[in-house]
Each structure stands twice: as structure tokens, then as C-alpha cells.
Amino acid sequence: QVQLVESGGGLVQAGGSLRLSCATSGRTFSTYAMAWFRQAPGKEREFVAAITWSGGNTYYADSVAGRFTISRDNAKNTVYLQMNSLKPEDTAVYYCAARRAPGWTSREDLYNVWGQGTQVTVSS
């Protein structure tokens, strides 16, 4: 089973950009579909984006579509989340998640491996 470590969070002004990375251990990364979720203070965790195990298909929540891009490099065992045109409402702890299946889902209960999270704060 892979282990996940997120990085790249921080403080950015509205309109700015950040790139999150999720590095994985193990030699089976290419057999996992990957996703990003986020949890804002006082709110439930929500789906942000997902990518299939081949990287051939990506999916986004309506709130981030057109601004965020998920990608993966199976040679580097890493998944990325490029976040552009950030808004204060994007402020949250961002979590990387993995499920050993080819396809994606927005259901967090179907992801069985989680990272520790990285804080993203967008100031107005």
C-alpha cells in the first residue's frame, strides 16, 4: 500500500497560484487512481479533483474547474494540483487520496489511503 505526503501549501494573495505535490512511496503508484480533497474550517471535507491511474482522464468539482489542474507523473510517483486564480474561498487543508482502482470517484469513503494534509490560505 502506498503512503502519501503532501507539500506545497502556503499563504498566497487572491489571484495567485500554488502547486501542491503528493509524493508516494511504494512501487504500485500506477495502479492507484488519485484525488485531491479539501476541508475548510467548520465545513465538511469536499472533493476537488481526481485523475485515473493512467492519467488519461481528469475530473473536477464545479467550484475549481477551469482554475485547477490535476496531473500525475507515474515515473516520479507523484500527483500534482496546480491551482491558479486562487480565491479566499479556496482556503482549506488540502488532502491527497488514493484508491487501488483505475477509475475515479468523488466519494471520499472509496479512497483508502490519505495524506496528512497541507494548509492553503488565500488572503483577500
Side-chain angles (χ1 to χ4, degrees):
Q1 175 163 289
V2 297
Q3 293 182 321
L4 311 177
V5 178
E6 302 99 331
S7 62
L11 174 64
V12 63
Q13 289 188 332
S17 298
L18 282 175
R19 188 175 83 155
L20 305 183
S21 298
C22 176
T24 70
S25 63
R27 294 175 288 181
T28 58
F29 176 68
S30 62
T31 64
Y32 285 78
M34 303 295 296
W36 289 94
F37 289 78
R38 67 185 182 186
Q39 187 168 23
K43 295 187 177 181
E44 295 186 349
R45 191 157 55 186
E46 65 176 2
F47 171 78
V48 174
I51 188 166
T52 53
W53 67 5
S54 68
N57 295 94
T58 57
Y59 306 89
Y60 299 93
D62 290 344
S63 58
V64 306
R67 300 188 298 122
F68 291 11
T69 302
I70 187 171
S71 62
R72 66 190 295 161
D73 186 336
N74 285 348
K76 295 183 178 180
N77 293 345
T78 302
V79 63
Y80 305 97
L81 186 68
Q82 178 67 44
M83 305 185 295
N84 299 329
S85 302
L86 282 161
K87 305 175 181 179
E89 51 264 44
D90 295 317
T91 294
V93 176
Y94 283 72
Y95 296 90
C96 178
R99 63 190 296 258
R100 197 162 188 182
W104 76 283
T105 177
S106 62
R107 287 179 52 184
E108 64 175 275
D109 62 314
L110 295 182
Y111 289 87
N112 60 332
V113 186
W114 292 82
Q116 83 288 350
T118 185
Q119 176 70 47
V120 172
T121 303
V122 185
S123 63
S124 57

PDB file of all heavy atoms in Angstrom, residues 44-58:
ATOM      1  N   GLU A  44     -17.393  20.391   6.021  1.00  0.00           N
ATOM      2  CA  GLU A  44     -17.036  19.011   5.727  1.00  0.00           C
ATOM      3  C   GLU A  44     -15.987  18.959   4.612  1.00  0.00           C
ATOM      4  O   GLU A  44     -15.884  19.882   3.795  1.00  0.00           O
ATOM      5  CB  GLU A  44     -18.290  18.226   5.313  1.00  0.00           C
ATOM      6  CG  GLU A  44     -19.317  18.078   6.428  1.00  0.00           C
ATOM      7  CD  GLU A  44     -20.463  17.172   6.022  1.00  0.00           C
ATOM      8  OE1 GLU A  44     -20.557  16.832   4.835  1.00  0.00           O
ATOM      9  OE2 GLU A  44     -21.261  16.828   6.905  1.00  0.00           O
ATOM     10  N   ARG A  45     -15.264  17.851   4.601  1.00  0.00           N
ATOM     11  CA  ARG A  45     -14.288  17.671   3.535  1.00  0.00           C
ATOM     12  C   ARG A  45     -15.027  17.495   2.204  1.00  0.00           C
ATOM     13  O   ARG A  45     -16.068  16.848   2.141  1.00  0.00           O
ATOM     14  CB  ARG A  45     -13.404  16.453   3.834  1.00  0.00           C
ATOM     15  CG  ARG A  45     -12.206  16.325   2.933  1.00  0.00           C
ATOM     16  CD  ARG A  45     -11.100  15.513   3.568  1.00  0.00           C
ATOM     17  NE  ARG A  45     -11.511  14.200   4.019  1.00  0.00           N
ATOM     18  CZ  ARG A  45     -10.721  13.383   4.710  1.00  0.00           C
ATOM     19  NH1 ARG A  45      -9.491  13.747   5.035  1.00  0.00           N
ATOM     20  NH2 ARG A  45     -11.170  12.201   5.074  1.00  0.00           N
ATOM     21  N   GLU A  46     -14.468  18.092   1.140  1.00  0.00           N
ATOM     22  CA  GLU A  46     -15.123  18.037  -0.170  1.00  0.00           C
ATOM     23  C   GLU A  46     -14.142  17.642  -1.255  1.00  0.00           C
ATOM     24  O   GLU A  46     -12.949  17.889  -1.169  1.00  0.00           O
ATOM     25  CB  GLU A  46     -15.758  19.388  -0.513  1.00  0.00           C
ATOM     26  CG  GLU A  46     -14.766  20.520  -0.695  1.00  0.00           C
ATOM     27  CD  GLU A  46     -15.414  21.834  -1.120  1.00  0.00           C
ATOM     28  OE1 GLU A  46     -16.654  21.894  -1.235  1.00  0.00           O
ATOM     29  OE2 GLU A  46     -14.674  22.799  -1.361  1.00  0.00           O
ATOM     30  N   PHE A  47     -14.705  17.039  -2.292  1.00  0.00           N
ATOM     31  CA  PHE A  47     -13.932  16.625  -3.465  1.00  0.00           C
ATOM     32  C   PHE A  47     -13.460  17.844  -4.238  1.00  0.00           C
ATOM     33  O   PHE A  47     -14.213  18.803  -4.434  1.00  0.00           O
ATOM     34  CB  PHE A  47     -14.805  15.734  -4.341  1.00  0.00           C
ATOM     35  CG  PHE A  47     -14.228  15.413  -5.682  1.00  0.00           C
ATOM     36  CD1 PHE A  47     -13.235  14.462  -5.812  1.00  0.00           C
ATOM     37  CD2 PHE A  47     -14.675  16.073  -6.817  1.00  0.00           C
ATOM     38  CE1 PHE A  47     -12.704  14.155  -7.056  1.00  0.00           C
ATOM     39  CE2 PHE A  47     -14.154  15.776  -8.057  1.00  0.00           C
ATOM     40  CZ  PHE A  47     -13.162  14.823  -8.180  1.00  0.00           C
ATOM     41  N   VAL A  48     -12.222  17.772  -4.730  1.00  0.00           N
ATOM     42  CA  VAL A  48     -11.665  18.850  -5.551  1.00  0.00           C
ATOM     43  C   VAL A  48     -11.389  18.359  -6.974  1.00  0.00           C
ATOM     44  O   VAL A  48     -11.878  18.939  -7.948  1.00  0.00           O
ATOM     45  CB  VAL A  48     -10.370  19.398  -4.933  1.00  0.00           C
ATOM     46  CG1 VAL A  48      -9.719  20.423  -5.858  1.00  0.00           C
ATOM     47  CG2 VAL A  48     -10.646  20.004  -3.564  1.00  0.00           C
ATOM     48  N   ALA A  49     -10.601  17.295  -7.093  1.00  0.00           N
ATOM     49  CA  ALA A  49     -10.206  16.816  -8.419  1.00  0.00           C
ATOM     50  C   ALA A  49      -9.737  15.379  -8.311  1.00  0.00           C
ATOM     51  O   ALA A  49      -9.319  14.931  -7.240  1.00  0.00           O
ATOM     52  CB  ALA A  49      -9.098  17.685  -8.998  1.00  0.00           C
ATOM     53  N   ALA A  50      -9.794  14.665  -9.441  1.00  0.00           N
ATOM     54  CA  ALA A  50      -9.342  13.273  -9.468  1.00  0.00           C
ATOM     55  C   ALA A  50      -8.718  12.971 -10.813  1.00  0.00           C
ATOM     56  O   ALA A  50      -9.005  13.643 -11.820  1.00  0.00           O
ATOM     57  CB  ALA A  50     -10.505  12.324  -9.199  1.00  0.00           C
ATOM     58  N   ILE A  51      -7.885  11.930 -10.814  1.00  0.00           N
ATOM     59  CA  ILE A  51      -7.216  11.507 -12.044  1.00  0.00           C
ATOM     60  C   ILE A  51      -7.147   9.992 -12.048  1.00  0.00           C
ATOM     61  O   ILE A  51      -6.911   9.361 -11.014  1.00  0.00           O
ATOM     62  CB  ILE A  51      -5.818  12.149 -12.149  1.00  0.00           C
ATOM     63  CG1 ILE A  51      -5.184  11.884 -13.509  1.00  0.00           C
ATOM     64  CG2 ILE A  51      -4.914  11.694 -11.012  1.00  0.00           C
ATOM     65  CD1 ILE A  51      -3.955  12.778 -13.778  1.00  0.00           C
ATOM     66  N   THR A  52      -7.397   9.401 -13.196  1.00  0.00           N
ATOM     67  CA  THR A  52      -7.364   7.951 -13.306  1.00  0.00           C
ATOM     68  C   THR A  52      -5.936   7.429 -13.231  1.00  0.00           C
ATOM     69  O   THR A  52      -4.978   8.199 -13.322  1.00  0.00           O
ATOM     70  CB  THR A  52      -8.006   7.519 -14.627  1.00  0.00           C
ATOM     71  OG1 THR A  52      -7.378   8.228 -15.708  1.00  0.00           O
ATOM     72  CG2 THR A  52      -9.492   7.814 -14.616  1.00  0.00           C
ATOM     73  N   TRP A  53      -5.787   6.124 -13.066  1.00  0.00           N
ATOM     74  CA  TRP A  53      -4.434   5.615 -12.809  1.00  0.00           C
ATOM     75  C   TRP A  53      -3.481   5.788 -14.001  1.00  0.00           C
ATOM     76  O   TRP A  53      -2.282   5.839 -13.825  1.00  0.00           O
ATOM     77  CB  TRP A  53      -4.469   4.177 -12.302  1.00  0.00           C
ATOM     78  CG  TRP A  53      -4.946   3.118 -13.242  1.00  0.00           C
ATOM     79  CD1 TRP A  53      -5.283   3.224 -14.553  1.00  0.00           C
ATOM     80  CD2 TRP A  53      -5.149   1.751 -12.907  1.00  0.00           C
ATOM     81  NE1 TRP A  53      -5.684   2.026 -15.047  1.00  0.00           N
ATOM     82  CE2 TRP A  53      -5.626   1.082 -14.064  1.00  0.00           C
ATOM     83  CE3 TRP A  53      -4.990   0.991 -11.746  1.00  0.00           C
ATOM     84  CZ2 TRP A  53      -5.916  -0.279 -14.091  1.00  0.00           C
ATOM     85  CZ3 TRP A  53      -5.283  -0.360 -11.763  1.00  0.00           C
ATOM     86  CH2 TRP A  53      -5.745  -0.990 -12.930  1.00  0.00           C
ATOM     87  N   SER A  54      -4.032   5.873 -15.182  1.00  0.00           N
ATOM     88  CA  SER A  54      -3.184   6.098 -16.351  1.00  0.00           C
ATOM     89  C   SER A  54      -2.894   7.581 -16.567  1.00  0.00           C
ATOM     90  O   SER A  54      -2.008   7.938 -17.335  1.00  0.00           O
ATOM     91  CB  SER A  54      -3.871   5.552 -17.601  1.00  0.00           C
ATOM     92  OG  SER A  54      -5.023   6.327 -17.903  1.00  0.00           O
ATOM     93  N   GLY A  55      -3.689   8.423 -15.903  1.00  0.00           N
ATOM     94  CA  GLY A  55      -3.575   9.858 -16.143  1.00  0.00           C
ATOM     95  C   GLY A  55      -4.334  10.333 -17.356  1.00  0.00           C
ATOM     96  O   GLY A  55      -4.299  11.511 -17.704  1.00  0.00           O
ATOM     97  N   GLY A  56      -5.064   9.414 -17.982  1.00  0.00           N
ATOM     98  CA  GLY A  56      -5.742   9.766 -19.211  1.00  0.00           C
ATOM     99  C   GLY A  56      -7.009  10.572 -19.036  1.00  0.00           C
ATOM    100  O   GLY A  56      -7.486  11.192 -19.988  1.00  0.00           O
ATOM    101  N   ASN A  57      -7.565  10.544 -17.844  1.00  0.00           N
ATOM    102  CA  ASN A  57      -8.820  11.269 -17.589  1.00  0.00           C
ATOM    103  C   ASN A  57      -8.732  12.009 -16.259  1.00  0.00           C
ATOM    104  O   ASN A  57      -8.194  11.489 -15.281  1.00  0.00           O
ATOM    105  CB  ASN A  57     -10.006  10.316 -17.558  1.00  0.00           C
ATOM    106  CG  ASN A  57     -10.252   9.658 -18.901  1.00  0.00           C
ATOM    107  OD1 ASN A  57      -9.764   8.558 -19.138  1.00  0.00           O
ATOM    108  ND2 ASN A  57     -10.963  10.332 -19.772  1.00  0.00           N
ATOM    109  N   THR A  58      -9.272  13.211 -16.258  1.00  0.00           N
ATOM    110  CA  THR A  58      -9.294  14.041 -15.054  1.00  0.00           C
ATOM    111  C   THR A  58     -10.703  14.575 -14.823  1.00  0.00           C
ATOM    112  O   THR A  58     -11.494  14.721 -15.777  1.00  0.00           O
ATOM    113  CB  THR A  58      -8.318  15.219 -15.171  1.00  0.00           C
ATOM    114  OG1 THR A  58      -8.647  15.980 -16.342  1.00  0.00           O
ATOM    115  CG2 THR A  58      -6.883  14.733 -15.293  1.00  0.00           C
TER     116      THR A  58
END
